[in-house]
Amino acid sequence: MEAAMKAFGRVLTAFGLLVLFSFRADGHDPSMANHEWFNKQEMNAAARKRLGVPWKSCCDNGDVFKTRFRVGEDRSDQWQYLKDGEWKTIPPDIIKEEDTPDRTPVLFINRPTGVELCFFLPRGGL
């Protein structure tokens, strides 16, 4: 029984590492497709002012957050993303109208604080 539990533990650990590494690929990884595009993105001036940050880059101080997106529940002109099982509203001052390389939504979140930095609207649908 103990050997089976240890084997099960190793399988869970390996699966956990696989999941962790699958979500860590971001714009900082030079092997990632469109690396240059991610590194060139800048925050909107209104968001920088609201957050009180001196830096402009979405990527230098944040990572792409892989998740699901939706239009607000009330069908207003509001976007939301799923984080920790809860739908969170994307602040309007981080929304950017520019297209992404693969026409999908992209959200940058600050690594230490979890604050949203930049959100690119999807052009290819959700």
Side-chain angles (χ1 to χ4, degrees):
M1 177 74 168
E2 187 176 331
M5 290 302 291
K6 284 183 180 179
F8 182 68
R10 284 192 299 269
V11 168
L12 282 179
T13 300
F15 179 73
L17 289 173
L18 179 64
V19 169
L20 175 67
F21 289 124
S22 71
F23 286 103
R24 282 301 305 151
D26 58 29
H28 304 286
D29 180 357
S31 67
M32 182 180 173
N34 307 304
H35 168 75
E36 287 99 26
W37 181 88
F38 284 95
N39 285 323
K40 288 193 291 188
Q41 301 316 305
E42 293 187 353
M43 296 175 61
N44 293 333
R48 287 194 351 255
K49 183 177 179 181
R50 174 178 57 87
L51 296 172
V53 296
W55 33 266
K56 295 180 180 182
S57 173
C58 299
C59 195
D60 287 348
N61 295 287
D63 286 321
V64 173
F65 185 71
K66 303 282 186 186
T67 188
R68 292 177 31 208
F69 299 92
R70 71 179 186 187
V71 175
E73 286 182 301
D74 61 358
R75 299 290 184 232
S76 64
D77 192 21
Q78 179 184 81
W79 284 90
Q80 298 176 335
Y81 70 100
L82 190 61
K83 183 176 183 186
D84 300 327
E86 180 181 332
W87 288 101
K88 299 189 174 267
T89 300
I90 293 174
D93 62 356
I94 72 163
I95 295 175
K96 302 182 75 67
E97 298 289 333
E98 295 89 24
D99 206 359
T100 63
D102 61 1
R103 305 179 66 84
T104 60
V106 172
L107 175 64
F108 288 87
I109 292 184
N110 184 278
R111 287 183 291 268
T113 66
V115 171
E116 304 90 354
L117 302 175
C118 302
F119 176 64
F120 293 84
L121 294 171
R123 298 289 184 228
L126 290 179

